[in-house]
Amino acid sequence: MGKFKILPALVFMLSFCASSHAEDPARLEKMFLSGEYAKAVSESDRLVASKASNIDNVYYLKGLALLKSARYKEARENFEKVITKFQRTKRGYDARLGIGDSYLLGGDAGAAIKIYEEMLGRYRDDKNVSLVYHRLGNCYKRLGSNAKAAEYFDKLKSASPLSFEAKMPSVLDIKSGVIFKDERRSPAGGYFSIQAGYF
């Protein structure tokens, strides 16, 4: 008789543990989207140590949180884990984009160009290829090569004319040499960036 009383309690405990693990990645995403990047990094480490599900997504979100915290080398290392440890991940495109972004935001436009051009070879027909064209245009613009930047912005407009990136001022008027208000450097000399995510 005692065994039958223990069984429902055991089933309840197992279902509670399973549901709390399912909520962990959602809590991590909420931390990231709320701008709590340090907490997101700590939560990512906890999830990796506990061997939670969707670890590829955990490494990806940790990489994004590190990117937003200007810890570019560490961000790159986490994006690389997504690619090397999880061959069948759906985050391969995003992780490679993150690696390129870590170089671009860290001031190494040449290394970023190499990553983005490799992505064009691998993902030329991807629905999000407009992001890569836009990043390449920005890289060449930062290097002072407006003609090359215009070439990639033209490819962006051809590939995804209705995309958000195709309608940005830097894309619309690169050939005129006009610098729009939102493209000016910050007083510290760096660039502003806005990153949006949908999970």
Side-chain angles (χ1 to χ4, degrees):
M1 242 2 218
K3 291 180 183 177
F4 293 112
K5 290 181 180 176
I6 294 172
L7 189 59
L10 185 60
V11 169
F12 172 77
M13 285 173 47
L14 289 173
S15 65
F16 176 77
C17 289
S19 67
S20 73
H21 283 300
E23 292 172 3
D24 284 345
R27 185 168 64 235
L28 173 60
E29 289 173 11
K30 186 176 179 183
M31 285 176 187
F32 174 76
L33 293 172
S34 299
E36 300 176 89
Y37 305 126
K39 284 185 180 179
V41 169
S42 296
E43 178 67 6
S44 300
D45 291 337
R46 187 188 71 76
L47 290 172
V48 169
S50 70
K51 298 184 178 169
S53 60
N54 299 323
I55 293 293
D56 56 336
N57 197 43
V58 171
Y59 279 125
Y60 174 70
L61 287 169
K62 182 180 179 184
L64 287 181
L66 290 164
L67 201 63
K68 297 298 280 182
S69 303
R71 294 163 62 183
Y72 304 124
K73 184 176 183 288
E74 294 170 81
R76 193 161 45 249
E77 289 167 358
N78 280 273
F79 293 134
E80 287 168 354
K81 284 178 186 176
V82 173
I83 297 165
T84 57
K85 289 188 173 197
F86 306 94
Q87 300 294 322
R88 297 175 189 246
T89 183
K90 294 179 180 178
R91 287 285 187 194
Y93 177 94
D94 300 325
R96 285 178 175 86
L97 195 67
I99 292 169
D101 292 348
S102 73
Y103 283 119
L104 179 59
L105 293 171
D108 191 346
I113 287 170
K114 183 178 177 190
I115 298 297
Y116 297 141
E117 287 182 344
E118 286 173 5
M119 287 185 72
L120 283 183
R122 184 183 289 259
Y123 300 106
R124 187 166 298 279
D125 298 323
D126 191 276
K127 64 180 181 176
N128 294 316
V129 73
S130 60
L131 295 172
V132 181
Y133 287 135
H134 186 257
R135 300 292 208 284
L136 281 163
N138 280 333
C139 285
Y140 282 109
K141 189 173 172 188
R142 287 187 185 190
L143 292 174
S145 179
N146 279 0
K148 193 76 172 167
E151 178 185 323
Y152 280 108
F153 288 148
D154 285 343
K155 288 179 182 181
L156 160 60
K157 288 186 278 187
S158 295
S160 304
L162 301 177
S163 69
F164 172 77
E165 293 79 19
K167 296 177 187 214
M168 294 183 76
S170 58
V171 175
L172 296 174
D173 208 16
I174 182 73
K175 290 177 183 170
S176 73
V178 173
I179 298 177
F180 290 85
K181 183 179 178 183
D182 66 340
E183 292 181 82
R184 292 187 183 132
R185 286 178 175 246
S186 71
Y191 288 88
F192 294 100
S193 72
I194 297 173
Q195 183 170 353
Y198 178 167
F199 305 99

